[in-house]
Amino acid sequence: MADVGADNREKARALMATIDDGVVDGLMKGAVDLHVHSGPSTMARQLDHFQAVEQAAAAGMRGIMFKDHHYSVAPFLPIMERVLGHLNVAMYGGLVLNNTTGGLNPFVVDAQLNQGAKLVWMPTAQSANHIRSSHRKSRLASNVQLKKSPGITVLDAYGDILDVVKEILDSIAAFDAILSSGHLHVYEIWKLFEEAKKRGVKRLLVNHPMYGLHFTYQDITELARFGALIEQSACLYVDSRFNVFSPDELKEHILAAGVEHSSIGSDLGQVDNPSPVEGMRQAIKLLLALGFSEADVRVMVRDNSAKLVGLD
């Protein structure tokens, strides 16, 4: 069987080679990456949280969001600010609602929001959809053998949002935090976001809609119009071992939402992959080579992400 990922990577490398590094340097200034997988973690990481900030600062970036599937970095940010604040990189953390962090537990969510969590991801690695979708795959493998986890869904047997999820949404709304759909199925996401909007949640985020979430292009278009920011993960398109999509598909995925509703997150930090900063640089090169203007790229790597987290 042909290695589709290898073919995609070769196409991406050829396109990226046509773009001048100086242009990329300029577009990295002020960039905001809302999907950084630095460590420590149960999974192998190539850099820690401090190094992620230092590398972002060296590239001139404005902010990064730390994401770990099994704990929240948010409570540690005041310490990191004391040590790294002079680098002028805004640092954000959030909580992923996997079983390892309490699952759909409104008390944990409330505590984390009070400790500065900016984003709440719905379940990822331990969502029922992820467990089904990743059968016989190992892209999200842990270095540590974690206890087998039941799959989490936000819906009851009738397809209605669970009361405990409604309580969590109320807390997110009260703190004006960001709600991410995590790795839920698109059917769950529609129900979740409709309920969230009713309850006053204003900041909605979808991560890698075409990977594992069972979106159609119409879903992307309609959820973007509904008010969600549609984040594409650089790691799925650039010279990464996670590459599963061709450059042309990246363009199609973005255009389905529209540049004005799209953002780029690296989704990087794993070993044997580009660093988050390098992943963002490669994504910028790929976007330019695909015909997006420099203004379009700034919107997707800087403006939309900055607006979502409340940066000026």
Side-chain angles (χ1 to χ4, degrees), residues 5 22 37 45 98 102 110 153-154 191 274-276:
H37 286 299
R45 300 301 187 211
N98 287 322
D110 177 70
T153 175
V154 297
K191 299 252 184 170
S275 68

Side-chain angles (χ1 to χ4, degrees), residues 186-235:
V186 65
Y187 170 71
E188 297 174 272
I189 293 169
W190 270 112
K191 299 252 184 170
L192 175 73
F193 279 8
E194 287 168 350
E195 186 68 33
K197 183 170 279 193
K198 289 179 187 175
R199 293 177 175 273
V201 177
K202 297 182 176 64
R203 304 174 194 267
L204 303 173
L205 177 65
V206 174
N207 305 112
H208 52 71
M210 300 304 280
Y211 182 70
L213 310 188
H214 307 281
F215 271 62
T216 64
Y217 286 102
Q218 185 176 351
D219 286 315
I220 294 178
T221 300
E222 292 182 4
L223 274 169
R225 290 174 180 167
F226 188 74
L229 181 64
I230 311 298
E231 180 191 86
Q232 304 297 342
S233 291
C235 69

Side-chain angles (χ1 to χ4, degrees), residues 36-209:
V36 173
H37 286 299
S38 46
S41 176
T42 62
M43 303 172 211
R45 300 301 187 211
Q46 63 167 278
L47 74 173
D48 63 34
H49 306 319
F50 280 57
Q51 291 169 316
V53 175
E54 291 163 349
Q55 292 181 17
M61 294 178 65
R62 179 81 188 283
I64 59 175
M65 172 80 72
F66 302 104
K67 179 183 181 183
D68 192 274
H69 296 283
H70 304 299
Y71 75 99
S72 170
V73 180
F76 305 101
L77 292 181
I79 299 171
M80 294 177 64
E81 287 282 357
R82 178 173 62 80
V83 178
L84 300 173
H86 66 284
L87 296 178
N88 296 316
V89 175
M91 294 174 272
Y92 301 101
L95 177 70
V96 184
L97 302 184
N98 287 322
N99 288 309
T100 44
T101 62
L104 303 177
N105 187 323
F107 301 100
V108 176
V109 172
D110 177 70
Q112 284 293 317
L113 290 170
N114 273 289
Q115 291 184 79
K118 187 67 176 176
L119 195 156
V120 176
W121 290 271
M122 284 293 128
T124 56
Q126 294 171 343
S127 71
N129 175 64
H130 179 97
I131 292 170
R132 289 192 298 266
S133 300
S134 61
H135 178 59
R136 300 182 67 187
K137 300 175 185 175
S138 59
R139 291 185 180 274
L140 202 60
S142 175
N143 296 68
V144 178
Q145 186 61 48
L146 298 175
K147 186 177 179 66
K148 188 175 181 180
S149 172
I152 305 173
T153 175
V154 297
L155 304 177
D156 65 19
Y158 296 94
D160 297 323
I161 293 291
L162 297 168
D163 287 342
V164 71
V165 175
K166 295 176 183 178
E167 190 174 346
I168 289 169
L169 294 176
D170 288 342
S171 291
I172 293 171
F175 281 83
D176 195 22
I178 304 162
L179 168 66
S180 165
S181 55
H183 293 184
L184 299 177
H185 190 280
V186 65
Y187 170 71
E188 297 174 272
I189 293 169
W190 270 112
K191 299 252 184 170
L192 175 73
F193 279 8
E194 287 168 350
E195 186 68 33
K197 183 170 279 193
K198 289 179 187 175
R199 293 177 175 273
V201 177
K202 297 182 176 64
R203 304 174 194 267
L204 303 173
L205 177 65
V206 174
N207 305 112
H208 52 71

Side-chain angles (χ1 to χ4, degrees), residues 204-267:
L204 303 173
L205 177 65
V206 174
N207 305 112
H208 52 71
M210 300 304 280
Y211 182 70
L213 310 188
H214 307 281
F215 271 62
T216 64
Y217 286 102
Q218 185 176 351
D219 286 315
I220 294 178
T221 300
E222 292 182 4
L223 274 169
R225 290 174 180 167
F226 188 74
L229 181 64
I230 311 298
E231 180 191 86
Q232 304 297 342
S233 291
C235 69
L236 300 176
Y237 307 93
V238 302
D239 190 7
S240 152
R241 62 184 173 88
F242 285 176
N243 184 303
V244 293
F245 295 116
S246 69
D248 287 339
E249 286 173 308
L250 171 60
K251 188 169 187 176
E252 291 171 1
H253 297 168
I254 289 172
L255 293 179
V259 168
E260 68 275 18
H261 302 296
S262 296
S263 69
I264 304 295
S266 69
D267 202 351

